Amino acid sequence: QNAEAFRWFDPFIADGSCAVESAGVLKGGRVVWVLAKIQGEEAKAGNKEGDIALAYLMLSLSHDGSLPVQVSFTATRVVCWNTISAALRKANASGSTRRLRHTASVHDNLRSVRDTIDLARRDFSASAAVWAELMRAQVAPTRAEEVARFQRYMRETFNPKAAEILARGDDLPELRNEGELWSTYTQGPGADSAGRTAWGLYQAATHYQDHIGGRTADSRLSATWFGAGRETRQRAFDLAVAMLAR
């Protein structure tokens, strides 16, 4: 079943559109994934030379029925391997995640993968323009304001009930990991290149989500790609973009 699913990448590897870089399993082998880099796509991901993001397609399937065979767009910041797949539109709503149906013709499934590649290129370019704006948006002019905005940003990002709490007029509770998040924001991988900006906040949140939170590397990756981590990352992105309107 794995080989049958992954064969959909073959024509795009052959024509140079993609190059498979890694593959693996999650949940004890019940979920299988493969990452293919979309050739020719990179964007600035920080203020230092060489800090770039690359575009990927991820093909995934499960043996326990929890996931369909699907191909989706993701982006990665190379300096810290943060997943930055949140774009201007949520993936499932925009169609940048496509299901490959066993009952479909080869032609239809190949067209679905090709459409995903084309959409990924457009989304990557549009997202990179927003990332550049986030890199220019300083969090605050003073240390006190910066700390207050950092706390508000992280509490809204990592508390899934934040909107309900704020709607009641209550204060958001402090996060247990706030100190660790501050260290990630100010001293973590790529922090010096991201700067004390809206982009820096977003990168700190995604780095914690991808590499620090959760019990194991397997659970973190599973949550980031297929679970609640996607929603957390989307909130982090949306909140960072909202800072541009200040």
Side-chain angles (χ1 to χ4, degrees), residues 74-77 81-85 202 206 210-211 224-225 233:
T74 187
T76 298
R77 185 183 177 206
W81 293 108
N82 288 353
T83 303
I84 49 175
S85 57
Y202 173 54
T206 56
D210 286 0
H211 303 290
T224 291
W225 282 347
R233 198 168 59 248

Side-chain angles (χ1 to χ4, degrees), residues 71-213:
V71 61
S72 57
F73 164 64
T74 187
T76 298
R77 185 183 177 206
V78 175
V79 70
C80 52
W81 293 108
N82 288 353
T83 303
I84 49 175
S85 57
L88 303 181
R89 302 164 294 174
K90 293 183 180 180
N92 289 332
S94 71
S96 58
T97 293
R98 300 293 180 96
R99 295 187 179 187
L100 305 183
R101 297 170 297 170
H102 291 295
T103 56
S105 68
V106 171
H107 175 75
D108 286 344
N109 273 330
L110 290 178
R111 184 174 60 189
S112 183
V113 177
R114 171 58 68 193
D115 288 347
T116 303
I117 292 174
D118 292 342
L119 180 60
R121 290 185 187 276
R122 293 195 297 272
D123 271 3
F124 188 72
S125 178
S127 296
V130 178
W131 301 340
E133 291 187 59
L134 295 177
M135 291 174 213
R136 293 191 292 268
Q138 295 297 313
V139 172
T142 68
R143 172 63 179 264
E145 289 176 282
E146 181 185 25
V147 171
R149 288 177 181 168
F150 162 85
Q151 290 173 339
R152 173 68 177 255
Y153 175 87
M154 292 301 178
R155 291 173 190 181
E156 285 194 68
T157 293
F158 287 98
N159 188 335
K161 296 183 179 180
E164 299 174 27
I165 295 170
L166 292 172
R168 293 196 304 265
D170 296 333
D171 293 332
L172 292 171
E174 183 177 349
L175 300 171
R176 288 181 298 175
N177 58 346
E178 231 161 78
E180 197 166 16
L181 284 165
W182 177 261
S183 295
T184 303
Y185 166 60
T186 57
Q187 304 171 38
D192 55 343
S193 182
R196 309 291 269 269
T197 63
W199 180 247
L201 286 175
Y202 173 54
Q203 287 300 304
T206 56
H207 187 80
Y208 186 90
Q209 177 67 45
D210 286 0
H211 303 290
I212 301 173

